[in-house]
């Protein structure tokens, strides 16, 4: 597959997973955490799926379209491996992370620091959706339907 095919499949899987999990998240109190705001497209989708819910977004720099810049206080800039430590105990209902890269060594490092931070920032029963596989005792993998190609996206429930 080309890189274009690959990004289309990843984003289709991302949208599928977020659409699938949104009704469950709607019943769970707490903010949403968007790890990797980027252009803000996913942020926009999340705020449409869960209207009125606080969404805290993280990125190393602001590069979102002006229409999807989070309100003051809900945007945290800096290296997420450091800034996300400040979200420990916020009891988020959903944490979504789209910070995979095409560089295996970078992704291996992210897979090391992200799972404990995701667990610390979410409440029991919350959901964690990620483009990278996350291994943690307190993240129970949720099976996705067969039409999502294995390895494209991952969904977990926080134990
Ligand atoms: C693939 S983009 C996210 C795209 C986003 N879902 C959207 O709708 O536009 C990943 C973003 O995460 C940010 N990022 C990746 N790793 C990071 C890290 N360790 N610390 C801070 N930001 C990071 C990048 O700057 C980039 O904007």
């Amino acid at each position: 597959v080309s890189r274009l095919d690959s990004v289309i499949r990843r984003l289709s899987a991302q949208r599928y997973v977020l659409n699938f999990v949104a009704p469950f998240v709607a019943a769970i109190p707490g903010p949403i955490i968007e790890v990797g705001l980027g252009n803000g497209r996913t942020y926009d989708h999340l705020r449409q799926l869960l209207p009125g819910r606080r969404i805290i977004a993280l990125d190393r720099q602001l590069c979102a379209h002006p229409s999807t810049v989070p309100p003051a206080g809900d945007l945290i800039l800096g290296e997420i491996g450091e800034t996300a430590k400040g979200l420990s105990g916020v009891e988020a209902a959903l944490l979504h992370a789209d910070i995979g890269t095409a560089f295996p060594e970078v992704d291996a490092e992210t897979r090391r620091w992200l799972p404990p931070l995701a667990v610390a920032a979410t409440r029991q029963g919350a959901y964690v959706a990620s483009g990278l596989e996350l291994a943690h005792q307190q993240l129970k993998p949720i099976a996705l339907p067969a039409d999502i190609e294995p390895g494209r996206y991952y969904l977990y429930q926080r134990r």
Side-chain angles (χ1 to χ4, degrees):
V1 296
S2 70
R3 290 185 60 208
L4 178 63
D5 292 327
S6 184
V7 75
I8 289 169
R9 289 180 193 187
R10 181 173 61 81
L11 293 179
S12 298
Q14 177 188 116
R15 182 179 57 182
Y16 180 94
V17 167
L18 295 177
N19 289 352
F20 168 78
V21 84
F24 301 103
V25 173
I28 302 172
I32 308 303
I33 300 175
E34 168 68 340
V35 176
L37 173 66
N39 182 277
R41 295 185 180 104
T42 310
Y43 174 85
D44 189 40
H45 196 69
L46 286 167
R47 70 183 179 181
Q48 287 186 31
L49 284 174
L50 296 150
R53 188 72 69 107
R54 183 181 181 204
I55 305 175
I56 304 167
L58 297 86
D59 208 300
R60 57 172 57 97
Q61 71 223 351
L62 178 60
C63 50
H65 185 271
S67 65
T68 49
V69 174
D74 291 349
L75 174 64
I76 301 173
L77 298 179
E79 285 302 307
I80 294 165
E82 288 305 313
T83 58
K85 290 176 186 167
L87 294 177
S88 180
V90 301
E91 305 245 297
L94 170 70
L95 181 147
H96 169 245
D98 177 18
I99 57 170
T101 70
F103 300 96
E105 65 283 4
V106 176
D107 292 347
E109 182 64 10
T110 303
R111 281 200 299 267
R112 189 186 60 73
W113 57 256
L114 183 54
L117 292 177
V119 166
T122 48
R123 67 170 62 236
Q124 191 178 5
Y127 290 88
V128 173
S130 171
L132 292 175
E133 188 171 20
L134 305 179
H136 194 285
Q137 185 105 49
Q138 283 177 265
L139 295 177
K140 179 181 147 205
I142 306 283
L144 295 172
D147 46 326
I148 302 254
E149 205 180 309
R152 284 286 167 201
Y153 235 77
Y154 299 89
L155 181 63
Y156 304 90
Q157 191 167 25
R158 157 82 153 79
R159 291 192 167 104

Coordinates of all heavy atoms in Angstrom, one line a residue, residues 10 14 34-43 58-61 63 78-81 96 98-100 113, ligand 1:
R10 N -5.7 4.6 8.3 CA -5.5 5.0 9.7 C -6.6 5.9 10.1 O -7.2 5.8 11.2 CB -4.1 5.6 9.9 CG -3.8 6.0 11.3 CD -2.4 6.4 11.5 NE -2.1 7.6 10.8 CZ -2.4 8.8 11.1 NH1 -3.0 9.1 12.2 NH2 -2.0 9.9 10.4
Q14 N -9.5 5.5 12.8 CA -9.6 6.4 13.9 C -11.1 6.9 14.0 O -11.7 6.9 15.1 CB -8.7 7.6 13.7 CG -8.8 8.7 14.7 CD -8.0 9.9 14.3 OE1 -8.6 11.0 14.1 NE2 -6.7 9.8 14.2
E34 N -7.3 15.0 24.2 CA -6.8 14.8 22.9 C -5.3 15.0 22.8 O -4.7 16.1 23.0 CB -7.5 15.9 21.9 CG -6.9 16.0 20.5 CD -7.1 14.7 19.6 OE1 -7.4 13.6 20.2 OE2 -7.0 14.9 18.4
V35 N -4.6 13.9 22.7 CA -3.1 13.8 22.7 C -2.6 14.0 21.3 O -2.7 13.1 20.5 CB -2.7 12.5 23.4 CG1 -1.1 12.4 23.3 CG2 -3.2 12.4 24.8
G36 N -2.1 15.2 21.0 CA -1.7 15.5 19.6 C -2.8 16.2 18.9 O -3.5 15.7 18.1
L37 N -2.9 17.5 19.2 CA -4.0 18.3 18.6 C -3.8 18.5 17.1 O -4.8 18.4 16.3 CB -4.1 19.7 19.2 CG -5.0 20.7 18.6 CD1 -6.5 20.3 18.8 CD2 -4.8 22.1 19.2
G38 N -2.6 18.7 16.7 CA -2.3 18.8 15.2 C -3.1 19.9 14.6 O -3.2 21.0 15.1
N39 N -3.7 19.6 13.5 CA -4.5 20.6 12.7 C -5.8 20.8 13.4 O -6.5 21.8 13.1 CB -4.7 20.0 11.3 CG -5.5 21.0 10.4 OD1 -6.7 21.0 10.5 ND2 -4.8 21.8 9.7
G40 N -6.2 19.9 14.3 CA -7.5 20.1 15.0 C -8.7 19.3 14.4 O -9.8 19.5 14.8
R41 N -8.4 18.5 13.4 CA -9.5 17.8 12.7 C -10.2 16.8 13.7 O -11.4 16.8 13.7 CB -9.0 17.1 11.5 CG -8.5 18.1 10.4 CD -8.1 17.3 9.1 NE -7.6 18.2 8.1 CZ -6.4 18.4 7.8 NH1 -5.4 17.7 8.4 NH2 -6.0 19.3 6.9
T42 N -9.4 16.1 14.4 CA -10.0 15.1 15.3 C -10.6 15.8 16.5 O -11.7 15.4 16.9 CB -8.9 14.1 15.8 OG1 -8.2 13.6 14.7 CG2 -9.5 13.0 16.6
Y43 N -10.0 16.9 16.9 CA -10.6 17.7 18.0 C -12.0 18.1 17.6 O -13.0 18.1 18.3 CB -9.7 18.9 18.2 CG -10.3 19.9 19.2 CD1 -10.1 19.8 20.6 CD2 -10.9 21.1 18.7 CE1 -10.6 20.8 21.4 CE2 -11.4 22.0 19.6 CZ -11.2 21.9 20.9 OH -11.7 22.8 21.8
L58 N -3.4 18.6 23.8 CA -1.9 18.7 24.0 C -1.2 18.6 22.7 O -1.6 17.8 21.8 CB -1.4 17.6 24.9 CG -2.0 17.5 26.4 CD1 -3.3 16.7 26.4 CD2 -1.0 16.8 27.3
D59 N -0.2 19.4 22.6 CA 0.7 19.4 21.5 C 2.0 20.1 21.8 O 2.0 20.9 22.8 CB 0.1 20.0 20.2 CG 0.7 19.3 18.9 OD1 1.9 19.4 18.7 OD2 -0.1 18.7 18.2
R60 N 3.1 19.9 21.1 CA 4.3 20.6 21.4 C 4.2 22.1 20.9 O 4.9 22.9 21.4 CB 5.5 19.9 20.8 CG 5.6 19.7 19.3 CD 7.0 19.2 18.9 NE 7.3 18.0 19.6 CZ 7.2 16.7 19.2 NH1 6.7 16.5 18.0 NH2 7.6 15.7 19.9
Q61 N 3.3 22.3 19.9 CA 3.2 23.7 19.4 C 1.7 23.8 18.9 O 1.1 22.8 18.5 CB 4.2 24.0 18.3 CG 3.9 23.3 17.0 CD 5.2 22.7 16.4 OE1 6.3 23.0 16.8 NE2 5.0 21.9 15.3
C63 N -0.6 24.3 16.0 CA -0.6 24.4 14.6 C -2.0 24.1 14.1 O -2.2 23.7 12.9 CB 0.4 23.5 13.9 SG 0.5 21.9 14.6
G78 N 3.8 21.9 24.8 CA 5.1 21.3 25.3 C 5.2 19.9 25.0 O 4.3 19.3 24.3
E79 N 6.2 19.3 25.4 CA 6.4 17.8 25.2 C 5.4 17.0 26.0 O 5.4 17.1 27.3 CB 7.9 17.4 25.5 CG 8.9 17.8 24.4 CD 8.5 17.3 23.0 OE1 8.3 16.1 22.9 OE2 8.4 18.1 22.1
I80 N 4.6 16.2 25.4 CA 3.5 15.5 26.0 C 4.0 14.6 27.1 O 3.4 14.5 28.2 CB 2.6 14.8 25.0 CG1 1.9 15.8 24.1 CG2 1.6 13.9 25.7 CD1 1.3 15.3 22.8
G81 N 5.2 14.0 26.9 CA 5.7 13.1 27.9 C 5.9 13.9 29.3 O 5.9 13.2 30.3
H96 N -7.7 10.2 23.7 CA -7.4 9.8 22.3 C -6.0 10.3 22.0 O -5.6 11.4 22.2 CB -8.4 10.4 21.3 CG -7.9 10.2 19.9 ND1 -7.6 11.2 19.1 CD2 -7.7 9.0 19.2 CE1 -7.2 10.7 17.9 NE2 -7.2 9.4 18.0
D98 N -3.1 10.4 18.9 CA -2.8 10.2 17.5 C -1.4 10.8 17.3 O -1.2 11.8 16.7 CB -3.8 10.8 16.6 CG -3.4 10.7 15.1 OD1 -2.6 9.9 14.7 OD2 -4.0 11.5 14.3
I99 N -0.4 10.1 17.9 CA 1.0 10.7 17.9 C 2.0 9.7 17.3 O 3.2 9.8 17.6 CB 1.4 11.3 19.2 CG1 1.4 10.3 20.3 CG2 0.6 12.5 19.6 CD1 2.0 10.8 21.6
G100 N 1.5 8.7 16.6 CA 2.4 7.8 16.0 C 3.2 8.5 14.9 O 2.7 9.5 14.3
W113 N 6.4 5.8 27.4 CA 5.9 6.8 28.4 C 4.4 7.0 28.3 O 3.8 7.5 29.3 CB 6.7 8.1 28.3 CG 6.7 8.8 26.9 CD1 7.7 8.8 26.0 CD2 5.6 9.6 26.3 NE1 7.4 9.6 25.0 CE2 6.1 10.1 25.1 CE3 4.4 10.0 26.7 CZ2 5.4 10.9 24.3 CZ3 3.6 10.8 25.9 CH2 4.1 11.2 24.7
Ligands
LIG1 C1 -0.7 13.1 13.5 S1 -0.7 14.7 14.3 C2 -2.3 14.7 15.0 C3 -3.4 15.1 14.0 C4 -4.7 15.4 14.7 N1 -5.4 14.2 15.1 C5 -5.5 16.3 13.7 O1 -6.7 16.0 13.7 O2 -5.0 17.1 13.1 C6 0.3 14.5 15.7 C7 0.5 15.7 16.5 O3 1.1 15.4 17.8 C8 2.2 16.2 18.1 N2 3.1 15.4 18.9 C9 3.6 14.2 18.5 N3 4.4 13.7 19.5 C10 4.4 14.7 20.5 C11 5.1 14.9 21.7 N4 5.9 13.9 22.2 N5 4.9 16.0 22.4 C12 4.1 17.0 21.9 N6 3.5 16.9 20.8 C13 3.6 15.8 20.0 C14 2.7 16.7 16.8 O4 3.3 18.0 16.9 C15 1.5 16.7 15.9 O5 0.9 18.0 15.8

